[in-house]
Amino acid sequence: MTKAELVEEVARAAELNKRDAEVIVETVFGSIIGALHKGEKVELRGFGSFRTRERGPRRGRNPKTGEPVDVPAKRVPYFKPGKELKEYFTENPAAAEGTVVAPAEVEPTPAAGGSAGSTIGDGGSGSTSSSTQEGSGGQTSGGEGSSGGSAL
């Protein structure tokens, strides 16, 4: 899902025009990025948490020339899915294949250890992709939001 598709989904679900939905999505992403920049963690119950990790300096390799390169220490954002999000994909194999099921349509399964409310909750449709790129080689592209996929 791209940011534009997310904006369309928010506009449809909240019955807003696309401009208002885009402001909402940008505000949420901006708030998450701002909190991470200040060193805070962002927890979305039922969805997951965003945090930053410190990476120490290391010796990398220039992929073009093969020469060793010193990579400085840096902070990198990462996402840790919450328990309910993990359970959703464990209990609902169709979701892992890319079929999107809105949280209101998810029915708890009685054989899932007795947890009666295993819907996603605060995370909305929960299909934003956040990929942490650790170990991306010796070069970095040098800007915030250059993580590929859905940029936060």
Side-chain angles (χ1 to χ4, degrees), residues 57-73:
R58 63 184 177 89
R59 192 89 162 141
R61 193 164 292 280
N62 183 336
K64 193 170 188 178
T65 64
E67 293 182 27
V69 177
D70 288 327
V71 179

Side-chain angles (χ1 to χ4, degrees), residues 23-104:
V23 168
I24 291 170
V25 170
E26 290 290 336
T27 302
V28 169
F29 288 165
S31 298
I32 291 171
I33 291 168
L36 291 175
H37 187 70
K38 289 189 267 183
E40 299 173 1
K41 62 183 178 181
V42 178
E43 292 185 20
L44 304 172
R45 303 273 169 160
F47 183 69
S49 62
F50 297 91
R51 300 171 192 228
T52 57
R53 287 186 177 164
E54 294 288 330
R55 279 203 198 153
R58 63 184 177 89
R59 192 89 162 141
R61 193 164 292 280
N62 183 336
K64 193 170 188 178
T65 64
E67 293 182 27
V69 177
D70 288 327
V71 179
K74 60 184 169 182
R75 289 186 338 178
V76 293
Y78 77 99
F79 174 75
K80 180 179 177 185
K83 178 182 174 186
E84 293 172 13
L85 182 61
K86 288 184 205 175
E87 288 175 356
Y88 176 74
F89 283 95
T90 304
E91 296 172 2
N92 188 356
E97 296 174 8
T99 305
V100 177
V101 179

Side-chain angles (χ1 to χ4, degrees), residues 1-23:
M1 173 178 270
T2 64
K3 188 186 285 189
E5 292 169 338
L6 181 61
V7 167
E8 288 179 23
E9 182 67 21
V10 169
R12 186 189 60 75
E15 298 178 0
L16 298 170
N17 62 38
K18 285 186 183 181
R19 186 176 303 142
D20 291 341
E22 185 174 7
V23 168

